[in-house]
Amino acid sequence: MWRNSRSGWGLISILFHWLSALAIIGLFALGWWMTDLGYYDPWYNQGPWVHRSIGMLLLFATLARLVWRFAQPTPKAEGGRLEIIAAHVGHIALYVLVLLVMASGYLISTADGSGISVFGWFEVPALVYDFPNQASLAGNVHWYSALALMILSAGHALAAFKHHWLDRHSTLVRMLNPAHSRAGDHSATKSSR
């Protein structure tokens, strides 16, 4: 139930997926909201601190998710050849954009040489800093890659609903229920006997 199989996602992959989705949507909403805060707003400093902290945790979770993804089997994709290729390219683009958003956010936050405090639990050191216009350039990359990530994520969600409601595939169900994956494994075992 914890591990992936050829018929479905395990609980660890499912948790990575949905917690990442919540974090990405929450970070985008918080980032957008923060841009309108005035200097005397109580969240003027608190908002960016929370945003950076969750962003760093998401970066570490994404790196762990990639390691887990390469260590586990990938469930068999459903749909036609072009749909499967588009889904594969879309997933790669999502990972690239998430890493780009997180890396550019790190470069914004460390541009002055200060590390990033993650909820006061630990500090991520500034390894790259003091480049000309670092915060400004990284800020542009951060905004446009975050926007692209939200658009691609919406397309990803629409594709999942299309698979579920129009094509009647189990793609969405497999990402919601690891027990469904085990049922697929048992039926595949029985059919191969």
Side-chain angles (χ1 to χ4, degrees):
M1 192 153 157
W2 294 95
R3 300 170 66 89
N4 299 349
S5 70
R6 287 298 291 155
S7 64
W9 301 103
L11 188 57
I12 292 174
S13 293
I14 290 171
L15 287 173
F16 269 135
H17 177 271
W18 291 111
L19 290 174
S20 295
L22 284 173
I24 289 166
I25 293 167
L27 284 168
F28 186 81
L30 178 58
W32 192 311
W33 177 69
M34 286 182 334
T35 60
D36 287 334
L37 293 177
Y39 182 77
Y40 294 105
D41 192 293
W43 274 87
Y44 183 78
N45 290 313
Q46 188 73 13
W49 182 72
V50 170
H51 187 82
R52 286 190 298 268
S53 294
I54 294 173
M56 291 310 303
L57 293 177
L58 179 60
L59 174 60
F60 297 141
T62 301
L63 296 174
R65 182 180 181 183
L66 284 168
V67 169
W68 182 255
R69 176 88 187 239
F70 287 119
Q72 292 291 300
T74 300
K76 187 175 183 310
E78 296 177 300
R81 187 169 186 268
L82 287 177
E83 274 184 314
I84 291 170
I85 291 170
H88 185 65
V89 170
H91 281 111
I92 291 171
L94 283 169
Y95 279 115
V96 167
L97 284 170
V98 167
L99 291 172
L100 186 59
V101 171
M102 299 304 116
S104 59
Y106 170 83
L107 290 173
I108 296 166
S109 300
T110 60
D112 65 354
S114 302
I116 300 172
S117 170
V118 179
F119 291 118
W121 302 332
F122 60 93
E123 184 170 296
V124 178
L127 301 174
V128 179
Y129 59 90
D130 215 19
F131 284 104
N133 299 321
Q134 178 175 327
S136 178
L137 293 171
N140 287 333
V141 171
H142 192 66
W143 167 247
Y144 288 112
S145 57
L147 201 54
L149 177 60
M150 293 309 295
I151 292 167
L152 190 58
S153 296
H156 176 70
L158 289 173
F161 292 138
K162 182 247 184 206
H163 277 292
H164 184 73
W165 284 312
L166 297 180
D167 301 334
R168 303 286 185 202
H169 293 162
S170 62
T171 305
L172 181 60
V173 175
R174 290 190 307 183
M175 190 46 79
L176 291 169
N177 184 1
H180 182 272
S181 302
R182 301 309 115 186
D185 288 343
H186 295 311
S187 63
T189 305
K190 287 178 184 174
S191 65
S192 64
R193 289 182 185 166

